[in-house]
């Protein structure tokens, strides 16, 4: 496998300081890009960086990041701590803690039935007007944020309309600047999976 150019490594360190990208994953990623797209680093570096970025943001951080280089271990379970960022994480779980598990399950089953009926209508060529997909009730979202190894729970400090249960995909990437454990706020920026669909937002979270 061809080693990635120094410019690629440096760009990743500048853009995503924490956690560190696994060199083995990056080498495999760069080799795949070269094999598939046949890009010349001297001429096509912007395109190479764009493809590396896309692959990283669509990857499972358990595969692409080095353990111990993201969320500090001494902050996990701490009563009071401040985590200095920016740190890139992915949403591995999301639920609404302001509603009962039973009510969320009812909506889940209604959405599953909606998809089933939609598939039947498509198979039968029925193009009639369809009712909208049932939505989950919205109160307070709880997240599980992972750097690929460590997982940190967080809840909304205030409603974040950019996140929606059933719509925001698991694996969605989030980068935060300073994260204060226990009731203070945190500024983060949402990075959606595909590089062409980045949405940079100022958000607020707090640990529970």
């Amino acid at each position: 496998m061809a080693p990635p150019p120094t410019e690629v490594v440096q760009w990743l360190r500048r853009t995503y300081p924490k956690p560190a990208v696994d060199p083995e994953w990056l080498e495999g990623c760069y080799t795949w890009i070269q094999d598939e797209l046949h890009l010349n680093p001297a001429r096509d570096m912007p395109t190479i960086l764009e493809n590396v970025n896309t692959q990283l943001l669509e990857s499972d951080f358990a595969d692409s990041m080095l353990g111990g280089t993201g969320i500090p271990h001494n902050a996990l379970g701490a009563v009071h701590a401040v985590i200095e960022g920016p740190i890139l994480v992915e949403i591995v779980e999301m639920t609404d803690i302001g509603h009962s598990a039973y009510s969320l399950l009812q909506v889940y089953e209604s959405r599953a039935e909606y998809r089933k009926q939609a598939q039947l209508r498509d198979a039968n060529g029925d193009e009639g007007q369809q009712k909208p997909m049932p939505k989950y009730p919205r109160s307070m979202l709880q997240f599980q944020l992972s750097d690929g190894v460590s997982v940190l729970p967080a809840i909304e400090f205030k409603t974040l309309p950019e996140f929606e249960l059933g719509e925001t995909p698991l694996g969605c990437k989030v980068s935060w600047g300073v994260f204060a454990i226990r009731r203070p706020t945190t500024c983060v920026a949402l990075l959606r999976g595909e590089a062409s669909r980045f949405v940079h937002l100022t958000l607020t979270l707090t640990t529970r």
Side-chain angles (χ1 to χ4, degrees):
M1 293 190 293
T6 301
E7 186 173 346
V8 173
V9 176
Q10 293 177 342
W11 181 87
L12 284 170
R13 287 175 179 170
R14 291 193 306 268
T15 307
Y16 307 119
K18 299 177 184 179
V21 176
D22 187 330
E24 184 176 343
W25 178 90
L26 179 57
E27 188 171 320
C29 174
Y30 180 72
T31 298
W32 179 85
I33 290 172
Q34 290 298 90
D35 291 345
E36 293 294 319
L37 303 178
H38 309 289
L39 299 174
N40 183 344
R43 182 190 63 236
D44 304 315
M45 185 54 66
T47 304
I48 291 173
L49 294 177
E50 179 182 354
N51 278 273
V52 169
N53 193 45
T54 298
Q55 293 302 315
L56 179 64
L57 294 179
E58 292 181 350
S59 72
D60 183 335
F61 279 1
D63 299 325
S64 58
M65 296 301 194
L66 287 177
T69 62
I71 300 170
H73 290 300
N74 60 1
L76 298 173
V79 176
H80 298 285
V82 175
I83 304 174
E84 298 290 342
I87 301 178
L88 188 66
V89 294
E90 60 186 352
I91 299 174
V92 293
E93 291 183 25
M94 183 170 65
T95 190
D96 195 307
I97 58 176
H99 293 275
S100 69
Y102 177 72
S103 66
L104 296 179
L105 178 60
Q106 285 185 309
V107 177
Y108 173 84
E109 292 175 344
S110 296
R111 290 167 66 90
E113 180 63 24
Y114 178 93
R115 294 189 186 95
K116 179 180 177 181
Q117 294 301 321
Q119 290 176 348
L120 291 175
R121 286 193 295 269
D122 291 342
N124 295 330
D126 184 359
E127 299 181 357
Q129 187 175 4
Q130 300 181 19
K131 295 181 179 179
M133 169 82 80
K135 287 184 174 291
Y136 286 99
R138 187 67 159 82
S139 179
M140 179 180 289
L141 295 179
Q142 177 178 334
F143 306 89
Q144 297 290 327
L145 306 175
S146 173
D147 62 3
V149 176
S150 301
V151 177
L152 189 69
I155 62 173
E156 292 177 311
F157 183 74
K158 62 180 180 180
T159 300
L160 307 175
E162 298 81 11
F163 294 104
E164 184 175 349
L165 192 61
E167 300 298 330
T168 301
L170 296 182
C172 179
K173 305 304 187 286
V174 178
S175 175
W176 75 67
V178 178
F179 197 103
I181 303 294
R182 286 262 183 194
R183 300 186 66 81
T185 61
T186 265
C187 291
V188 299
L190 179 64
L191 303 178
R192 298 193 187 279
E194 298 179 46
S196 60
R197 294 171 53 205
F198 276 0
V199 180
H200 296 277
L201 303 165
T202 299
L203 307 177
T204 304
L205 298 178
T206 181
T207 58
R208 192 180 181 189

